[in-house]
Amino acid sequence: MGTKLDILPIDKWFNTNGKPLIISGPCSAESEEQLLNTGRELAKISEVKIIRAGIWKPRTRPDIFEGVGEIGLKWLKKLKEETGLKTCVEVATPQHIDACLKNDIDILWVGARTTANPFSIQELADNLKGVDIPIMVKNPLHPDLKLWIGALERFNQVGITKLAAIHRGFYTYEKTPFRNLPMWEIPIELKRLVPNIAVITDPSHICGNRELLQSVSQKAMDLAMDGLMLESHINPSVALTDASQQLEPKDLKILLNNLVHRQEFGTEDFENLLEKLRFDIDHIDQELLTILTRRMHKIEEIGYYKKENNITVLQMDRLRQMMLSRLKVGKDLGLDSKFVLKLLQLVHKDSIQIQTKIMTT
Ligand code: PEP
Ligand code: MN
């Protein structure tokens, strides 16, 4: 998939000093006191550079707290003047954008529900023509990388180059320890496809609870993500939204202190050895793919033979036996059985497809 995105690297529009960008603040601004007290504590944590707050909240059902509205922007402005921290707010309509611009909000972000709707994104983008403000785009609710990139493209097309992505995980029906599945391969693929895009991980909405925040934040750092957005509240137990995932500022400080920062690049000796190991991996992968191709050719041969002799594509006994013997080989070799099973299933699925095609043509 080709993209024509022209993105300004984040360090050209926000002074990160080569460190991960840390954004924190309440899920929702609830009162002037709650916002200012939270923000004042956050301002004491040197890593925190940007205050976030939800002003208009997208809620699943009506008749519950839907945010304080425009008045909250005044509180944010006051907090910014007092602490010097930058501010960012979620926008979902052109009116939200206008209100934010009037109140000197520094950065806008688009929520997961909005990213999922290209009409809304286009409306927001059209409203931003000629405005120079950074936009952060959260991933859509479901794991659709093209839709995420599409939203970035719509903003880019109207001239916004200060763009970043926020990874907040993906909705799933399955019961998992996460509120939203991280599916790290998706933000990694986004980074591969979109040069210069910074990805900020949002562990709060991935975890949905405080217990997993530290490990998910560390994972984001280990995968060289560019920053973290973590929700914090002066008293999470009475928060009007997302109470179970917000951190008290003092606990946020502990979380940030516990993070281990590994470098993406090392010393010359390290880089030379790494280069050699990668060279070996390149060759091993080449061999792996060659062997897989040989296997698929055999599968084709068998397919033609089965067709000539009117035999079904699938023989359950053979499949069972094959899986068991390969799982044993994998185990003896020290490979993880779940991994071997998944690999065999994938190879087998493709083999069936090849033979079915032979049978039906
Ligand atoms: C939020 O950041 O509080 C929020 C509503 O997030 P999301 O759009 O990721 O659900
Ligand atoms: Mn929230």
Side-chain angles (χ1 to χ4, degrees):
M1 186 172 84
T3 67
K4 295 186 293 280
L5 282 150
D6 171 23
I7 291 178
L8 199 59
I10 192 163
D11 56 359
K12 297 272 184 310
W13 54 268
F14 198 96
N15 184 10
T16 56
N17 261 333
K19 299 208 180 103
L21 178 60
I22 308 295
I23 304 170
S24 190
C27 177
S28 304
E30 298 166 4
S31 67
E32 181 167 6
E33 199 192 0
Q34 168 253 8
L35 183 67
L36 291 179
N37 287 344
T38 308
R40 282 173 188 143
E41 289 308 307
L42 294 175
K44 295 180 194 158
I45 305 174
S46 61
E47 290 94 334
V48 177
K49 303 285 186 242
I50 302 174
I51 297 274
R52 63 148 281 155
I55 298 294
W56 303 276
K57 297 304 293 180
R59 304 309 299 273
T60 306
R61 307 191 59 185
D63 305 327
I64 36 181
F65 178 68
E66 289 188 309
V68 290
E70 254 190 88
I71 180 86
L73 298 173
K74 305 254 177 302
W75 308 334
L76 270 174
K77 193 168 181 210
K78 189 166 168 188
L79 185 60
K80 167 175 156 165
E81 280 160 8
E82 192 183 308
T83 62
L85 289 168
K86 302 278 182 210
T87 52
C88 74
V89 165
E90 174 179 352
V91 293
T93 68
Q95 295 75 26
H96 294 167
I97 294 179
D98 294 343
C100 285
L101 294 178
K102 261 199 300 185
N103 286 282
D104 288 339
I105 299 300
D106 299 287
I107 299 169
L108 306 178
W109 94 79
V110 175
R113 290 153 194 79
T114 311
T115 307
N117 183 348
F119 289 127
S120 304
I121 293 290
Q122 193 58 52
E123 258 194 297
L124 297 182
D126 290 342
N127 198 247
L128 281 165
K129 215 172 264 177
V131 181
D132 179 25
I133 190 163
I135 311 286
M136 303 192 294
V137 179
K138 283 203 175 194
N139 64 258
L141 292 174
H142 57 296
D144 184 343
L145 177 58
K146 283 191 189 156
L147 196 56
W148 198 2
I149 293 178
L152 291 164
E153 284 172 335
R154 286 176 199 276
F155 288 115
N156 204 208
Q157 277 174 3
V158 298
I160 305 264
T161 56
K162 297 172 184 167
L163 279 169
I166 302 177
H167 167 222
R168 50 80 78 198
F170 303 91
Y171 179 79
T172 171
Y173 284 111
E174 285 166 45
K175 211 174 155 14
T176 79
F178 300 106
R179 176 177 175 190
N180 290 294
L181 270 190
M183 304 179 83
W184 296 98
E185 65 280 10
I186 295 181
I188 290 171
E189 186 65 358
L190 176 73
K191 271 175 165 280
R192 191 180 71 80
L193 290 173
V194 181
N196 290 344
I197 190 77
V199 177
I200 313 285
T201 306
D202 170 349
S204 307
H205 292 88
I206 290 176
C207 300
N209 61 60
R210 280 177 279 277
E211 292 67 41
L212 292 171
L213 289 175
Q214 183 80 57
S215 62
V216 168
S217 304
Q218 185 62 53
K219 176 117 184 178
M221 295 296 95
D222 291 347
L223 292 173
M225 296 298 155
D226 303 274
L228 298 171
M229 180 188 257
L230 284 153
E231 286 183 343
S232 54
H233 191 291
I234 196 72
N235 185 359
S237 64
V238 297
L240 297 180
T241 55
D242 288 349
S244 52
Q245 70 194 31
Q246 303 204 58
L247 281 174
E248 274 185 60
K250 69 171 172 45
D251 292 328
L252 175 75
K253 191 176 162 67
I254 295 173
L255 184 152
L256 294 174
N257 282 343
N258 283 342
L259 286 179
V260 179
H261 296 286
R262 300 180 229 278
Q263 293 163 324
E264 203 173 341
F265 303 101
T267 61
E268 200 175 327
D269 279 355
F270 173 82
E271 288 297 327
N272 287 343
L273 179 59
L274 190 64
E275 182 102 352
K276 187 194 161 307
L277 293 171
R278 283 183 174 152
F279 183 78
D280 293 347
I281 289 285
D282 291 349
H283 279 268
I284 293 171
D285 283 350
Q286 181 82 32
E287 280 174 40
L288 194 64
L289 292 172
T290 310
I291 289 174
L292 274 175
T293 314
R294 270 178 47 211
R295 190 185 195 282
M296 291 311 177
H297 287 161
K298 279 286 166 222
I299 291 291
E300 272 174 17
E301 237 179 85
I302 296 175
Y304 285 114
Y305 193 62
K306 283 181 182 167
K307 185 175 181 180
E308 268 169 37
N309 292 281
N310 239 351
I311 306 283
T312 56
V313 163
L314 188 65
Q315 281 90 41
M316 275 321 285
D317 275 349
R318 159 78 185 152
L319 177 62
R320 256 183 235 118
Q321 208 188 60
M322 189 192 86
M323 288 288 195
L324 283 177
S325 76
R326 308 308 190 257
L327 282 169
K328 173 155 183 353
V329 175
K331 197 168 174 217
D332 292 346
L333 287 169
L335 289 168
D336 180 74
S337 341
K338 275 199 209 126
F339 165 70
V340 176
L341 181 64
K342 266 200 250 164
L343 182 68
L344 289 171
Q345 283 169 335
L346 188 67
V347 169
H348 185 252
K349 189 173 156 207
D350 212 59
S351 305
I352 295 272
Q353 261 167 15
I354 291 175
Q355 292 194 349
T356 307
K357 207 162 152 201
I358 290 172
M359 288 287 173
T360 53
T361 48

